[in-house]
């Protein structure tokens, strides 16, 4: 998993999984930067999405949708981003659904 995760449970009631730490966030940002080292615009777009979300110019659902579109095809980054989301809002891996339908 990109970014790891601490062992502290969340108390939000939106999903029961470990709460991500600031170290997880830095590790995830490094993973995004390394993945897009040849596509600096994509990394910059990711940072812009996070900045808009922090400034409350994007709501949570819009942020998730923009990240989902930006990271399309990068299963490891999507999985890493899910660490920061409540279980009920995690981005589903479309390949998982496609694989199940083809069996």
């Amino acid at each position: 998993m990109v970014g790891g995760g601490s062992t502290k449970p969340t108390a939000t009631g939106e999903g029961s999984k470990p709460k991500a730490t600031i170290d997880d966030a830095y590790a995830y940002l490094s993973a995004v930067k390394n993945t897009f080292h040849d596509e600096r615009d994509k990394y910059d777009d990711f940072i812009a999405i996070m900045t808009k979300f922090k400034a409350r110019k994007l709501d949570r659902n819009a942020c998730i949708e923009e990240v989902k579109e930006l990271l399309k095809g990068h299963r490891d980054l999507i999985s890493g981003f899910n660490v920061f989301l409540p279980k009920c809002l995690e981005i589903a891996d479309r390949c998982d659904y496609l694989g199940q339908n083809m069996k």
Side-chain angles (χ1 to χ4, degrees):
M1 169 172 58
V2 175
S6 72
T7 58
K8 290 183 180 180
T10 63
T12 64
E14 293 187 41
S16 57
K17 67 181 192 176
K19 184 174 175 157
T21 67
I22 191 73
D23 290 334
D24 296 328
Y26 286 129
Y28 183 72
L29 280 175
S30 291
V32 172
K33 190 172 190 175
N34 291 337
T35 298
F36 295 126
H37 69 276
D38 289 335
E39 299 175 86
R40 181 65 189 209
D41 288 347
K42 282 199 173 193
Y43 175 74
D44 291 344
D45 289 347
F46 180 80
I47 296 300
I49 293 167
M50 295 297 103
T51 301
K52 287 190 288 186
F53 177 70
K54 186 176 180 184
R56 299 180 185 253
K57 293 179 181 177
L58 274 182
D59 68 18
R60 181 168 64 177
N61 292 336
C63 176
I64 292 168
E65 284 303 312
E66 286 195 27
V67 169
K68 180 179 171 181
E69 185 63 29
L70 183 69
L71 301 182
K72 192 182 292 184
H74 295 278
R75 296 172 79 177
D76 58 332
L77 294 180
I78 290 171
S79 176
F81 189 72
N82 282 340
V83 168
F84 304 98
L85 301 176
K87 191 108 177 116
C88 62
L89 293 176
E90 287 184 355
I91 299 170
D93 187 347
R94 188 167 176 224
C95 293
D96 288 344
Y97 296 122
L98 293 174
Q100 290 173 356
N101 291 335
M102 296 178 80
K103 289 182 182 178

